[in-house]
């Protein structure tokens, strides 16, 4: 609802039309509006000033959106790659047996594209039953394993043009208490694996003159939560990886036809967050379903354009959360303090 109200109030076509009616519209219409405003507690001039401010904000917001979308296209005036034909495309999804991946896979599979799921666990039965979905047992924390599986995917399905680095994990420990094994697993799954997969699949995208690399990060890219240092650190790193990858694609490989998308979900109801659900809800935070998150990521891929996806889309608070790093320290600290009881020991 908040998103709908903001979208209406900040739409310059709506506020601009209203302002025009009040100031320059047909005389009969203008006279009737002014008569009603004059009889209200707000008077005539107050609403006019508010509309003028909303028009200015709306225009700035619209220009910002246009520039954002242009940057997501790597500043191309028009797409310079080869056309997308979904039935001919191959998508690789890491952590392919999880809830978000399953929802995303259903949406992508419906287009006819071939999908390679990389995981240690087999996907749910309904996903495995899809004729264009193929499971590959892969340890993404091992460069050698990823290399071996990537060769098998190319041989079996063709050259992948879509890569979704979706796999994620975390360990509920303090910085002092976390075992080396748990720490290394989180860093390899959430961060190092991105190097392994991109090294394998990006060259094929460059040669094919089309591609899309999706980095599933988190709102934890922007905040620190006590007891989640491993997770927050790797998700901040994933965002940095995405930004640098975008620069290298544009300036080192001269491949602006390859899109990149960073995804930042808030709390998603999955097996990994199940032990935290009670504490999350006590804090007053909502949890989105894996179906919603996976569906939104699939929609972003099918849009054929890169981006910066904040989930849930309707949350203004989440969008503002991405600005935390640039806010005064006391604001950043207060927001981080809000999550101090999510992880309890």
């Amino acid at each position: 609802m908040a998103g709908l109200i903001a979208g209406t109030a900040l739409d310059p076509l709506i506020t601009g039309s209203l302002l025009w009616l009040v100031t320059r519209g047909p005389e009969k219409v203008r006279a009737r509006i002014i008569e009603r405003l004059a009889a209200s507690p707000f008077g005539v001039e107050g609403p006019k000033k508010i509309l003028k401010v909303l028009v200015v904000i709306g225009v700035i917001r619209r220009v910002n959106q246009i520039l954002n979308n242009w940057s997501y296209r790597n500043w191309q005036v028009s797409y310079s790659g080869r056309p997308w034909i979904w039935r001919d495309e191959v998508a690789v999804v890491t952590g392919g047996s999880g809830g978000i991946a399953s929802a995303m896979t259903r949406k992508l599979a419906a287009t006819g594209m071939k999908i390679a799921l990389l995981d240690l666990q087999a996907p749910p039965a309904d996903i495995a039953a899809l004729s264009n979905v193929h499971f590959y047992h892969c340890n993404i924390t091992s460069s050698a394993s990823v290399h071996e599986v990537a060769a098998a995917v190319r041989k079996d399905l063709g050259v992948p043009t879509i890569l979704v680095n979706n796999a994620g994990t975390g360990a509920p420990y303090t910085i002092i208490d976390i075992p080396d094994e748990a720490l290394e697993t989180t860093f390899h799954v959430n961060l190092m694996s991105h190097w392994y997969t991109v090294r394998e699949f990006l060259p094929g995208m460059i040669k094919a003159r089309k591609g899309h690399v999706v980095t599933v990060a988190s709102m934890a890219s922007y905040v620190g939560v006590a007891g989640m240092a491993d997770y927050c650190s790797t998700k901040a790193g994933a965002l940095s990886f995405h930004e640098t990858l975008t620069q290298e694609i544009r300036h080192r490989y001269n491949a602006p036809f390859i899109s990149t998308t960073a995804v930042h979900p808030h709390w998603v109801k999955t097996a990994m967050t199940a032990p935290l659900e009670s504490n999350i809800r006590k804090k007053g935070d909502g949890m989105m379903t894996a179906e919603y998150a996976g569906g939104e990521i699939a929609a972003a891929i099918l849009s054929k354009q890169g981006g910066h996806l904040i989930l849930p889309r309707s949350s203004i608070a989440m969008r503002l959360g991405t600005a935390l790093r640039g806010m005064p320290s006391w604001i950043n600290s207060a927001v981080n303090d809000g999550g101090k009881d999510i992880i309890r020991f």
Side-chain angles (χ1 to χ4, degrees):
M1 182 60 73
L4 177 62
I5 293 173
T8 302
L10 298 180
D11 187 335
L13 292 177
I14 296 175
T15 54
S17 298
L18 291 173
L19 183 61
W20 178 82
L21 281 174
V22 173
T23 58
R24 299 177 181 275
E27 185 176 347
K28 289 184 179 180
V29 176
R30 189 169 72 251
R32 188 174 299 175
I33 293 173
I34 290 175
E35 181 182 352
R36 293 194 176 186
L37 287 176
S40 74
F42 307 103
V44 177
E45 293 305 316
K48 282 185 182 180
K49 291 179 181 178
I50 291 173
L51 282 173
K52 288 177 182 178
V53 171
L54 290 176
V55 169
V56 171
I57 294 174
V59 169
I60 293 173
R61 180 170 176 262
R62 184 61 60 87
V63 171
N64 181 62
Q65 289 172 340
I66 291 171
L67 291 175
N68 278 341
N69 289 335
W70 191 15
S71 74
Y72 296 151
R73 295 195 302 270
N74 285 317
W75 304 108
Q76 297 178 103
V77 176
S78 60
Y79 176 62
S80 61
R82 290 178 179 164
W84 290 91
I85 304 172
W86 298 126
R87 66 178 180 276
D88 295 336
E89 310 302 338
V90 178
V92 173
V93 181
T94 68
S97 299
I100 293 176
S102 294
M104 177 179 22
T105 298
R106 291 187 193 96
K107 296 284 187 181
L108 296 179
T111 68
M113 74 172 67
K114 290 168 281 189
I115 302 171
L117 302 180
L118 277 54
D119 207 327
L120 292 175
Q121 297 180 338
D126 66 315
I127 299 295
L130 298 173
S131 61
N132 53 331
V133 175
H134 306 265
F135 171 68
Y136 292 84
H137 186 275
C138 181
N139 177 8
I140 62 169
T141 69
S142 164
S143 177
S145 179
V146 172
H147 178 72
E148 181 180 351
V149 170
V153 170
R154 287 190 290 266
K155 179 181 178 182
D156 298 342
L157 308 179
V159 175
T161 49
I162 299 167
L163 169 63
V164 185
N165 279 317
N166 165 78
T169 189
Y173 292 99
T174 62
I175 293 170
I176 292 175
D177 294 333
I178 187 169
D180 287 350
E181 183 179 359
L183 181 62
E184 290 168 4
T185 296
T186 301
F187 269 81
H188 275 88
V189 171
N190 293 3
L191 192 54
M192 293 298 294
S193 66
H194 294 214
W195 268 266
Y196 304 156
T197 56
V198 167
R199 284 192 310 204
E200 289 294 335
F201 298 115
L202 182 60
M205 297 180 191
I206 296 171
K207 188 174 181 180
R209 292 193 62 79
K210 61 179 169 180
H212 196 156
V213 180
V214 179
T215 301
V216 180
S218 168
M219 284 306 296
S221 300
Y222 302 101
V223 298
V225 180
M228 294 177 60
D230 60 330
Y231 186 82
C232 295
S233 298
T234 53
K235 290 304 182 179
L239 172 58
S240 183
F241 178 88
H242 156 79
E243 292 172 340
T244 308
L245 173 65
T246 302
Q247 289 293 305
E248 292 197 358
I249 284 172
R250 187 184 301 159
H251 300 297
R252 294 294 180 267
Y253 304 119
N254 194 29
F257 43 80
I258 296 176
S259 300
T260 55
T261 295
V263 184
H264 298 276
H266 196 38
W267 297 110
V268 182
K269 194 170 183 176
T270 63
M272 188 173 78
T273 60
L276 309 176
E277 184 171 350
S278 176
N279 292 341
I280 291 170
R281 296 197 181 280
K282 284 179 183 177
K283 179 178 177 288
D285 284 354
M287 297 186 75
M288 74 191 88
T289 65
E291 287 72 21
Y292 170 79
E296 290 295 326
I297 297 171
I301 293 170
L302 297 178
S303 74
K304 304 177 184 179
Q305 179 173 303
H308 199 83
L309 184 58
I310 308 297
L311 298 177
R313 284 181 182 268
S314 60
S315 175
I316 297 175
M318 291 305 102
R319 292 180 213 167
L320 293 175
T322 63
L324 275 174
R325 294 297 182 194
M327 290 184 180
S329 295
W330 66 269
I331 295 178
N332 192 287
S333 179
V335 172
N336 286 340
D337 284 348
K340 67 182 184 301
D341 294 322
I342 295 293
I343 307 293
R344 294 179 180 175
F345 304 94

